[in-house]
Amino acid sequence: MLRALRLPCPWGHLGARGCASDGTAGGCEIQVRALAGSDQGITEIVMNRPGARNALGYVFVSELQDALARLREDQHLRVLLFRSAVKGVFCAGADLKEREQMSAAEVGVFVQRLRGLMNDIAAFPAPTIAAMDGFALGGGLELALACDLRVAASTAVMGLIETTRGLLPGAGGTQRLPRCLGVALAKELIFTGRRLTGVQAHTLGLVNHAVDQNEEGDAAYHRARALAQEILPQAPIAVRLGKVAIDRGMEVDIASGMAIEGMCYAQNIPTRDRLEGMAAFREKRPPKFVGK
């Protein structure tokens, strides 16, 4: 039975949040790393399932859902970065070998769970960044699409290739890709199952940045981390509310969106950070935001 596949994954010594850096503690496929020093406030979700190229299997999805549930409550987290510990791969998409062992009913339930996972990523309160240093296919690209920002190596390969496997995107791809690129282009990419390089994806607007890959194979990660460092000094409550205003506003007409913006703005008015921002401007010094 599929339930037997789920393994307990204790949170290891990395900031009391994640598995050991070699991924061996508890057999974890998802590791959580809270960075320190000048990077404090950045937390990384590291995908580490090398034997299956980070495919979205039962254990992988369970551990990722558990990690997100824990991190949602972390008020010190300012940016969440998704990266891979498997060189040349971000996430290869569905675990088709595991999927073959499921009944039709189990497939439907599991894909619904995948859809819920992507919704959880999209609704994560802090900004999220996908560092795509390799293949991001099918569900792997859907995971990246659920993030707020995407950075890709020039050599990365990505696409919603489900139609080449007799499937269609089922974890948000048919909804998030057209919202990202427009309806006609999204239809073309999904109908053809076309694969794009990081450079092509940047040209189309699918990723925010494309960078030349380095010998270590982690150029996108370093650019994503630099982007996270740009977000870190900003007022965290204002950033989170800005995310809410954009995400919810994009789903409604502009008049309703303006009302949502107004409600978010009102929530920010009584914060200490707003007063700190004005004081810092008046005193000609950098602000020190505390998230209150």
Side-chain angles (χ1 to χ4, degrees):
M1 294 293 292
L2 288 173
R3 289 190 184 88
L5 294 174
R6 184 167 184 177
L7 301 174
C9 183
W11 299 93
H13 67 268
L14 290 172
R17 292 184 183 168
C19 300
S21 59
D22 61 2
T24 58
C28 288
E29 297 179 1
I30 298 295
Q31 304 162 17
V32 179
R33 299 175 179 174
L35 304 188
S38 61
D39 288 328
Q40 186 172 354
I42 300 174
T43 293
E44 298 177 355
I45 285 186
V46 186
M47 299 177 287
N48 187 34
R49 194 186 178 201
R53 306 175 78 205
N54 290 339
L56 296 164
Y58 189 88
V59 173
F60 186 100
V61 169
S62 296
E63 291 182 6
L64 184 48
Q65 287 179 315
D66 290 345
L68 289 168
R70 292 169 185 258
L71 293 174
R72 283 184 66 88
E73 307 304 319
D74 186 353
Q75 296 302 311
H76 299 290
L77 188 158
R78 297 196 179 189
V79 185
L80 184 61
L81 195 156
F82 289 79
R83 62 174 298 201
S84 170
V86 183
K87 189 172 183 179
V89 176
F90 177 71
C91 174
D95 187 335
L96 296 182
K97 291 181 180 179
E98 188 176 284
R99 191 76 60 87
E100 282 183 335
Q101 306 304 314
M102 298 180 185
S103 67
E106 288 173 327
V107 169
V109 170
F110 187 71
V111 172
Q112 185 175 359
R113 188 176 184 187
L114 277 180
R115 198 174 298 121
L117 170 64
M118 302 312 172
N119 288 340
D120 288 344
I121 294 171
F124 194 81
T128 53
I129 306 175
M132 305 161 71
D133 271 304
F135 284 91
L137 301 174
L141 180 54
E142 288 177 307
L143 192 158
L145 282 167
C147 293
D148 297 308
L149 307 171
R150 288 164 292 282
V151 178
S154 56
T155 55
V157 177
M158 65 197 75
L160 295 181
I161 63 168
E162 286 86 348
T163 56
T164 70
R165 302 289 188 267
L167 305 166
L168 72 153
T174 65
Q175 302 306 304
R176 293 192 174 95
L177 190 65
R179 284 167 168 78
C180 179
L181 298 181
V183 172
L185 184 52
K187 285 181 176 178
E188 179 178 337
L189 294 176
I190 290 173
F191 293 171
T192 61
R194 186 178 303 155
R195 301 183 183 206
L196 304 171
T197 66
V199 173
Q200 291 171 324
H202 182 249
T203 300
L204 295 178
L206 180 54
V207 301
N208 297 77
H209 303 277
V211 293
D212 291 335
Q213 187 58 283
N214 57 28
E215 292 184 4
E216 293 76 19
D218 61 358
Y221 164 66
H222 286 292
R223 181 65 185 90
R225 188 162 163 176
L227 182 56
Q229 289 167 341
E230 287 188 69
I231 298 171
L232 272 184
Q234 316 314 327
I237 295 176
V239 169
R240 290 184 177 215
L241 287 170
K243 175 173 175 172
V244 171
I246 294 169
D247 287 349
R248 295 188 181 177
M250 288 300 295
E251 303 302 323
V252 298
D253 62 89
I254 192 166
S256 300
M258 295 293 283
I260 292 170
E261 180 186 271
M263 289 186 285
C264 290
Y265 196 95
Q267 291 181 53
N268 190 65
I269 289 174
T271 63
R272 286 168 52 185
D273 281 350
R274 185 184 72 89
L275 299 176
E276 165 63 12
M278 292 191 297
F281 176 78
R282 183 176 62 251
E283 297 164 11
K284 295 180 171 56
R285 59 172 175 81
K288 295 180 180 179
F289 297 123
V290 296
K292 296 182 180 179

